[in-house]
Amino acid sequence: MCAHVLIAEDDVQQADLVRRYLEREDHTTAVVHDGRAALAEYRQGRPDLVVLDVMLPGMTGLEVCRRLRAESDVAVLMLTARSTEDDLLAGLDIGADDYVTKPYSPRELMARIRTLLRRAAAPSGAERPLRAGAVVVDPARHTVHVDGAPVECTPAEFQMLAALAARPEQVFTRSQLLERIHGIDRFFTERTIDVHVKNLRKKLEPDPRAPRRLVTVYGVGYKLRGGDGPAA
């Protein structure tokens, strides 16, 4: 799977290292070293994935990610020297799909990039749309519609929503959803799922504060309801 990847990293040596590893696997790249240039390059080049350093000059990586999410569902992998759970969740809360902390192994970074590209790619056209009330998830086209209107989801959000829509009314624990989205990964915790749920509710619910579609089953986890009536 060859892709076009935007690398936004102010450390020139780190950016060049990432570029070389990507091009070794036949991906094309664009490299920028500040936040405003990252936005401009994204809008011009429309990459398949953005590798985004948090501490960019001009505009932080978090702000770049926030602006990207306002106009796109492109896969975003963030690089940061910060490793606390709160820092990680802050990035996920604004729509990042994955997080790698510095110093990192280039091999680990490439493994995560491959995972994101696979997740973002459209699956086989043989897969039929998944329906849960007003929510329709189409794995073949990698689209989501709510009440007939298109909704943009990040790759991680799409993966989670597809799992829920495949089994309406089935309750999934946080650990089950976490494994479906991120696999076994020490950098992600069950709080990550709560962040994804909060972001999905903003897109799926008429009133995210009183969810009727993506509901909490207290003490267990979450489910996507088959209808749009009041939550049980």
Side-chain angles (χ1 to χ4, degrees):
M1 180 189 306
C2 297
H4 181 55
V5 180
L6 170 59
I7 304 163
E9 165 66 82
D10 65 331
D11 185 317
V12 175
Q13 289 184 331
Q14 285 290 321
D16 189 58
L17 178 66
V18 175
R19 178 191 62 77
R20 285 188 282 112
Y21 268 83
L22 283 164
E23 293 180 355
R24 189 178 298 172
E25 296 194 9
D26 295 326
H27 301 300
T28 60
T29 61
V31 180
V32 297
H33 303 297
D34 69 79
R36 296 189 186 282
L39 273 180
E41 180 60 37
Y42 170 77
R43 288 165 179 160
Q44 178 178 339
R46 294 290 168 175
D48 301 295
L49 181 142
V50 179
V51 177
L52 184 61
D53 185 46
V54 169
M55 301 301 291
L56 289 173
M59 180 185 298
T60 69
L62 291 175
E63 180 60 25
V64 172
C65 184
R66 184 178 292 110
R67 296 193 185 195
L68 286 176
R69 280 293 166 256
E71 59 188 77
S72 170
D73 62 353
V74 65
V76 176
L77 186 153
M78 302 205 75
L79 306 175
T80 180
R82 303 171 177 175
S83 58
T84 70
E85 185 182 48
D86 285 343
D87 291 325
L88 183 151
L89 292 174
L92 294 176
D93 191 36
I94 59 172
D97 296 289
D98 202 351
Y99 231 89
V100 175
T101 56
K102 299 178 179 180
Y104 53 80
S105 158
R107 292 176 63 188
E108 178 192 2
L109 178 65
M110 289 305 303
R112 288 171 178 266
I113 287 173
R114 289 186 211 105
T115 298
L116 281 178
L117 289 173
R118 283 196 303 269
R119 191 185 295 162
S124 166
E127 295 190 47
R128 295 189 299 175
L130 307 169
R131 299 177 185 274
V135 179
V136 180
V137 181
D138 190 335
R141 294 178 174 81
H142 209 275
T143 59
V144 176
H145 287 77
V146 179
D147 292 321
V151 172
E152 288 194 347
C153 293
T154 70
E157 291 168 358
F158 185 89
Q159 194 91 348
M160 178 173 168
L161 191 56
L164 290 163
R167 295 175 175 81
E169 302 293 346
Q170 177 176 321
V171 181
F172 288 81
T173 66
R174 289 172 175 81
S175 61
Q176 287 173 329
L177 291 170
L178 187 65
E179 184 169 349
R180 286 171 181 266
I181 299 172
H182 296 293
I184 305 301
D185 192 324
R186 64 189 176 88
F187 290 107
F188 292 94
T189 69
E190 292 184 6
R191 284 181 62 196
T192 303
I193 296 301
D194 297 333
V195 173
H196 288 316
V197 167
K198 182 177 76 170
N199 291 334
L200 278 170
R201 281 174 172 163
K202 293 175 184 176
K203 301 174 181 183
L204 303 181
E205 302 285 355
D207 181 359
R209 296 168 298 179
R212 296 185 291 116
R213 293 166 177 162
L214 179 49
V215 299
T216 303
V217 179
Y218 290 100
V220 185
Y222 298 102
K223 70 177 181 178
L224 190 63
R225 303 191 69 237
D228 287 342

